[in-house]
Amino acid sequence: MFSITVRDHVMVAHSFQGEVFGPAQRLHGATFVVDATFRRTDLDADGIVVDIGLATEQLKAVLGDLNYRNLDEVFPGVNTTTEFLAKEIADRLVAAVHSGALGDGARGLAGLTVTLHESHVAWAAYEREL
Amino acid sequence: MFSITVRDHVMVAHSFQGEVFGPAQRLHGATFVVDATFRRTDLDADGIVVDIGLATEQLKAVLGDLNYRNLDEVFPGVNTTTEFLAKEIADRLVAAVHSGALGDGARGLAGLTVTLHESHVAWAAYEREL
Amino acid sequence: MFSITVRDHVMVAHSFQGEVFGPAQRLHGATFVVDATFRRTDLDADGIVVDIGLATEQLKAVLGDLNYRNLDEVFPGVNTTTEFLAKEIADRLVAAVHSGALGDGARGLAGLTVTLHESHVAWAAYEREL
Amino acid sequence: MFSITVRDHVMVAHSFQGEVFGPAQRLHGATFVVDATFRRTDLDADGIVVDIGLATEQLKAVLGDLNYRNLDEVFPGVNTTTEFLAKEIADRLVAAVHSGALGDGARGLAGLTVTLHESHVAWAAYEREL
Amino acid sequence: MFSITVRDHVMVAHSFQGEVFGPAQRLHGATFVVDATFRRTDLDADGIVVDIGLATEQLKAVLGDLNYRNLDEVFPGVNTTTEFLAKEIADRLVAAVHSGALGDGARGLAGLTVTLHESHVAWAAYEREL
Amino acid sequence: MFSITVRDHVMVAHSFQGEVFGPAQRLHGATFVVDATFRRTDLDADGIVVDIGLATEQLKAVLGDLNYRNLDEVFPGVNTTTEFLAKEIADRLVAAVHSGALGDGARGLAGLTVTLHESHVAWAAYEREL
């Protein structure tokens, strides 16, 4: 199995509902350093998993819808945990693949993992098939 | 599949028995930067894999039993290799999960990986189901 | 010249006023990974720059006043830029040194630098004498 | 499942053929920071996945054949993408395992992953069984 | 003293002349992860060292002239060592400051440091006043 | 001012004397990831600060005298703190420079900084002139 990963980041505000979150129930924020990993069983005719330029652009586009925003307004009533956001970003990247935005070759992708680093001591990931 | 990872560290002395270890047969030491990754198929009702506060506390507690110690005394007669320690820490974290120390929700965890970084150029990991 | 550095982090919301900030004028947030570097010309009698345990505690205490908060409320009318926060945290650590919270030996410190990493591609620092 | 990883690097020139590569069709270069991960179901009698000294040596030997070279000459007519190189290095390490160069115990390895970091924002990996 | 740093990267081919370079006399290449640090005694009216958006753009522009190139052609007869490139990039950023490309406020900058990471185990820097 | 830095590591056991060290008074250990930074006002005739190959070799040689050892035996009666070791390694590298082991050009070096990372959250440095 082959994979390539591209990295970008997003800076957001949000708050959580539920005692389990303790002080994070207050409005606060995070930088998420986001890694998108694309998997493929075999390389395409150019010898790549996916066009890294398009992968980088599409990750930036998906993050652009969240960047410098208060996620309490973008996702009303939702706990926008790091885990939730990893899945949301992964699903949006998969939609971009299906729309052709990562090129025709991307339709041969096997799966995707999105990892969000919320600090130097904590991160979350979501892995799915395509 | 979802996961979250928390990081902490431990500083220990130890020595190894066996020619394969070369100069590491002498008493020496290591800082292990330890990543504990908890996996779960679906998020719980709060939208999380596990309470990250409890996960951090329990990792610290497990490492606390080893920190600032000579592992030759803690595990007599055992080669406390990085691989061995990864499994030992993983198994202790699983015991903590089963005891309820990571919260009731943690009983829904699917698996666990523990990674020990012994330097900037070497690390070991142990992965198990729950 | 000797130095020691300890690292911790803080997760905050804030917004900026001024066209130069572009989309960061909206309410958003950041994880700041914070490095506090303590400098000293000579080591003290124990062979250290400062008690690393106390340095870690005091950095955590200073960050605790900001953590999981909306900085627009903590510092009304102020642009809480990464640069501003680096100075704010440095000045509070110096106050802690003067109060004796880092131990008597810390009074011999020569200077302090605080670095805030806002992402994997941007950071700011403030350096001052003691 | 256990694993150990060792890290080294290689500095090469190359160019790509195909419009998908844009400006990377020109002769350029890269530092690849290379992680070789060896997997094994159980530890051997010494409590290790593989002799880390031999693993480090063999990774250096495999990279030595590529280091400070123009890959357009080493692999004529091939797009030496990061993905391609990950597989090439993995396959050569597997050959080294089979030749006995990583020790007799290495014959019990279950699999191998090679990851090539081409920058702080992009990396590729190839994973195979042994 | 305040500073901000922005990070980007460049991928180039080159060769060196001189026995001291050993195998690096052959045509090879490197990824340089480049950190540009801007220093200023006091913050400007917006509370910043320099517009981080413009700093990021100008670093990208300076690196764009070198990216995906054979430096033996860009700088004929010159040993384009990591040290040399750190100075070259720093001097070009200073020219951009003087031209107004980093905004009027940037004219108040005190100094600049450019650091080029050539691998996980080696980097070079050049520091100058403005 | 120019600089180059090379990185290596060392794995040691030791214990400390003095209440300030708390549990670190027990025999324990550390991995120190060591960065040696060489500074020079101008580049030499080859366009370098120092021969990076020799710098790497000499750092390895200096660390080799400490690696896989119990520092309580190497430095009897001394608190081998991270700060102390940074100075010790720096002074030994300076002796290597003066002996000619880093090449004739290294005699033009202006200064040296040695940084020891003891974990992902703590490091110490010693800076001196040559």
Side-chain angles (χ1 to χ4, degrees), chain F residues 58-77:
Chain F
Q58 290 301 310
L59 176 59
K60 186 173 285 300
V62 166
L63 297 183
D65 291 337
L66 308 175
N67 206 10
Y68 296 119
R69 297 214 172 267
N70 180 354
L71 298 185
D72 293 350
E73 295 172 1
V74 182
F75 303 98

Side-chain angles (χ1 to χ4, degrees), chain D residues 61-110:
Chain D
V62 166
L63 297 182
D65 292 336
L66 307 176
N67 207 8
Y68 295 119
R69 297 213 173 267
N70 180 354
L71 298 185
D72 294 349
E73 295 172 1
V74 181
F75 302 98
V78 174
N79 273 338
T80 54
T81 60
T82 313
E83 297 93 316
F84 167 86
L85 291 169
K87 180 175 191 303
E88 185 68 24
I89 293 166
D91 290 348
R92 292 183 183 196
L93 285 171
V94 168
V97 168
H98 288 154
S99 77
L102 279 95
D104 279 350
R107 297 182 204 275
L109 289 169

Side-chain angles (χ1 to χ4, degrees), chain C residues 1 3-5 7 47 49 51, chain F residues 20 81 83 121-125 127:
Chain C
M1 180 68 76
S3 70
I4 67 147
T5 303
R7 172 171 284 189
V49 167
D51 180 337
Chain F
V20 71
T81 60
E83 297 93 316
V121 292
W123 51 98
E127 176 180 340

Side-chain angles (χ1 to χ4, degrees), chain A residues 1-7 35 43 46-52, chain D residues 20-21 79 81 83-84 87 118 120-127:
Chain A
M1 181 68 74
F2 292 89
S3 70
I4 67 150
T5 304
V6 292
R7 172 170 283 190
D35 298 334
L43 298 182
D46 291 308
I48 58 177
V49 167
V50 70
D51 180 338
I52 199 172
Chain D
V20 71
F21 296 105
N79 273 338
T81 60
E83 297 93 316
F84 167 86
K87 180 175 191 303
E118 70 176 60
H120 64 305
V121 291
W123 52 96
Y126 176 68
E127 177 180 341

Side-chain angles (χ1 to χ4, degrees), chain D residues 19-58:
Chain D
E19 273 183 41
V20 71
F21 296 105
Q25 293 174 85
R26 299 195 298 250
L27 180 68
H28 64 287
T31 305
F32 293 112
V33 175
V34 183
D35 299 334
T37 299
F38 301 86
R39 279 188 301 279
R40 193 186 171 101
T41 311
D42 296 299
L43 298 183
D44 73 8
D46 291 307
I48 58 175
V49 167
V50 71
D51 180 337
I52 198 171
L54 291 180
T56 300
E57 272 176 34
Q58 289 302 308

